[in-house]
Amino acid sequence: MTSAQLPFQLGDKSLGQLDCLVDGTSVAARSGKRFDVVDPGSGKVWASCPDCSDDDVDAAVQSCHKTFLEYSKWTPRRRSQTLSKWHHLITDAREDLARILVHETGKPLAEAYGEIDYALTFTWWFVGEAERAHGSSIVSAIPGRRAITIKQPIGVAAALIPWNFPIALSLRKIAAALAAGCTMVVKPSPETPVTVLAVAQLALRAGFPPGALNVLTTSLDGTPKVAEALCLHPLVKKVTFTGSTRVGKIITGLCARNLKKATLELGGNCPFIVFDDASLEQTMGQLMALKWRHAGQACISSNRLYVQRGIHDRFVDELVKQTSKLKVGHGMTEGTTMGPVTTPRSLDKAEDMAKDALEKGAKTVLGTGKRMDSAKSNGGNFMEPTIMTGVTDDMIMSQDEIFAPLLGVSVFDSEDEVVTRANNTSMGLASYVFTKDVDRLWRMFEKLEAGMIGLNTGNSSSSEAPFGGIKESGVGKESGKDVAIDEFLVTKNGTLTVEGHW
Ligand SMILES: *[C@@H]1O[C@H](CO)[C@@H](O)[C@H](O)[C@H]1NC(C)=O
Ligand SMILES: *[C@@H]1O[C@H](CO)[C@@H](O)[C@H](O)[C@H]1NC(C)=O
Ligand SMILES: *[C@@H]1O[C@H](CO)[C@@H](O)[C@H](O)[C@H]1NC(C)=O
Ligand SMILES: CC(=O)N[C@H]1CO[C@H](CO)[C@@H](O)[C@@H]1O
């Protein structure tokens, strides 16, 4: 299939690139095999990409390594200027990228624009970071000794990108690596290869050298082998992964064999806590945007909703009222406010969770907890938003990430109780708390076990703030000053002996 046959028009046809990008050229898999890319909103195949295997990895890494030897010597200013060009080319391609994104992920067009705008905050951030990654000079405790640290790019990096925010999460990783002076092999998720190929094409056009950014696509079946070959390749010095905790542990194990540095952004199970004194209007606005965005498929989504008893009934009424206004449909259909889930696997999981909750005593107050029947779904992976009350901590939906338009409400009484319950998970990505009592807000900030705490907001991720979890939600940071670019740098310590008196 060529880009000429895409089911939508592209202003810039060269962005409909469907082959891998290695060393600045389009290449197929060595095996010649391809896999299908499916529109989650219609179930229709609309493109195909090379189904790479571990056989394809070495050439991509060697190309990155060869380019690294040159690119790492570019001045930070030149890297910064080229990143800035890339940023502007992506901005200009916003409409084309949004259309591709809708057909890969299923999200509504307005959300696709939202993701691109969010993604662009990262490219812009790393334009600035490139020139500000500095070492330091250190006065020693020992007479006549001085120490100086310098930071240098670590080498070829590999990035494994998920399907829920393919543009935002690829730009966040790629921009950091390129700013640091590293080159990178990217493996997009099998659901969303085309957006990643398009931004890589733009990087080449911006002036990054061939081999600075290589993209290998692969199917779901091919993914473990390609990921393993990237993690184990001796020339890959750094791995950055966003995905499930289960896979994150496998990646860590592979990297550990050669003590390779890894950044891991893993699962969530984030609590969203509403105290009696919260502003109903503010809290509801934030919850609606956070929970239903991309049909619940975000790692920082609200997974467990804890509402204090005094406000519980009013809160549920308002939540049901507002959620029932959502318009479920294809992401390109005018007026759609919630799309399908990206993969049919997500529907199976959500149905199992809803069934388990009902069996354990929860009540459905909106929706069915089941996929839409085929007469209505038109081939897409649709589920009407479903809300349940009486949800307890022993239900699967309280213990595992939901990643679907299913929301359970739990009631709580005291601050101590809700802290214990909120923290009682192996995860620690984000937590959200809503209250107008500033003392309590501060206490909750300190007590909740998560890497990111939303204080009267459900919208706390931004390029200037460090993004990353604690506990089993991950290791390392992906934005923010110094910390994110440091993930791609090594620090060297020079010690100097100074002789003579002055
Ligand atoms: C690094 O710098 C510190 C601080 O001056 C110094 O004490 C230490 O010996 C240095 N380490 C190496 C390995 O050079
Ligand atoms: C934590 O959760 C587990 C089930 O996941 C439960 O058995 C245990 O009682 C909970 N602990 C607290 C302190 O709530
Ligand atoms: C989060 O806040 C930013 C900045 O105000 C805004 O542009 C964006 O739309 C918000 N996102 C959501 C999901 O509410
Ligand atoms: C600060 C605080 O209260 N942390 C608690 C969070 O909850 C976990 C488990 O429920 C406790 O172990 C922590 O002490």
Side-chain angles (χ1 to χ4, degrees), residues 36 49 97 115 170 173 180 221 232 270 314 321 421 484:
D36 290 338
C49 284
L97 292 173
E115 176 180 344
S170 58
K173 292 177 194 302
D221 288 342
L232 294 179
C270 307
R314 264 196 306 139
K321 194 172 122 202
R421 291 172 67 190

Side-chain angles (χ1 to χ4, degrees), residues 19 38 178 228 254 317 331 458 462 483 497:
D19 282 326
V38 179
L178 292 174
E228 181 175 322
L254 292 168
D317 285 349
S462 62
V483 287
T497 298

Side-chain angles (χ1 to χ4, degrees), residues 45 83 86 124 132 184 274 285 311 339 374 415 423 433 485 500:
V45 173
L83 273 170
W86 189 38
W124 188 248
R132 287 170 182 74
M184 187 175 242
V274 187
I311 199 177
S374 51
E415 181 180 320
N423 286 349
V433 54
I485 193 164

Side-chain angles (χ1 to χ4, degrees), residues 419-421 423-424 446-447 449:
V419 168
T420 308
R421 291 172 67 190
N423 286 349
N424 189 14
E446 294 191 3
K447 286 194 216 172
E449 296 172 348

Side-chain angles (χ1 to χ4, degrees), residues 460-482:
S460 55
S461 166
S462 62
S463 58
E464 61 278 11
F467 187 102
I470 59 172
K471 295 164 81 176
E472 290 192 11
S473 288
V475 181
K477 300 293 182 192
E478 284 215 293
S479 52
K481 190 172 169 302
D482 305 331

Side-chain angles (χ1 to χ4, degrees), residues 102 105-113 294-295 329-332 336-340:
V102 170
T105 63
K107 65 181 64 178
L109 188 60
E111 284 189 27
Y113 284 126
H294 199 4
H330 192 284
M332 291 304 287
T336 294
T337 47
M338 200 178 89

